[in-house]
Amino acid sequence: MIIVFSRAKQLNGINQIKRTLSKNHSDKFFCIEDFFSLYSVLSKKKHKITSIFCLSDSDFILAISALQMNKCQIPVVLTVYHPKQWLTSLDSNYSRTKTKVFRE
């Protein structure tokens, strides 16, 4: 089983990955949306988990922490946003930093 870990709830492309995997491939992928659920699953089913797929850098850090707390050694993969990803939620109120980076 591969865990897809993302705490974000935005309707963007990265979270579309999470929704698609959990809907169409529920036999291989298990989606988790909060740290305590991740910690709990690692505590109970760590022998069934082959890897953790994190959809943001902060989720990656939390996944590493949960693994250390559970004394597990499971591979963790971090996804990277492509600049075009920001187009799906880019407006002037969304984030000045992201707006500036995207325009550059």
Side-chain angles (χ1 to χ4, degrees):
M1 169 181 15
I2 297 172
I3 291 179
V4 179
F5 180 53
S6 173
R7 297 168 299 124
K9 306 273 193 260
Q10 296 96 344
L11 296 175
N12 58 23
I14 291 294
N15 280 321
Q16 184 62 34
I17 292 170
K18 176 177 70 175
R19 289 186 294 276
T20 302
L21 289 173
S22 65
K23 187 178 193 179
N24 298 337
H25 303 285
S26 59
D27 57 325
K28 296 177 186 174
F29 294 94
F30 183 68
C31 295
I32 297 178
E33 295 185 341
D34 65 85
F35 176 79
F36 296 109
S37 296
L38 176 63
Y39 180 82
S40 177
V41 168
L42 286 172
S43 297
K44 297 172 186 172
K45 299 180 181 184
K46 61 183 164 190
H47 60 282
K48 293 183 180 181
I49 300 167
T50 57
S51 62
I52 301 173
F53 185 70
C54 299
L55 299 181
S56 77
D57 52 352
S58 58
D59 294 332
F60 178 81
I61 292 167
L62 289 173
I64 296 296
S65 298
L67 287 169
Q68 289 175 344
M69 292 167 72
N70 279 294
K71 297 181 173 122
C72 300
Q73 290 189 345
I74 298 171
V76 181
V77 178
L78 171 62
T79 61
V80 178
Y81 279 90
H82 187 280
K84 288 184 179 180
Q85 164 66 29
W86 287 349
L87 279 174
T88 61
S89 55
L90 186 66
D91 64 22
S92 60
N93 296 320
Y94 182 67
S95 167
R96 288 186 181 145
T97 303
K98 287 185 178 183
T99 302
K100 181 181 175 189
V101 170
F102 183 75
R103 287 185 180 144
E104 288 175 0

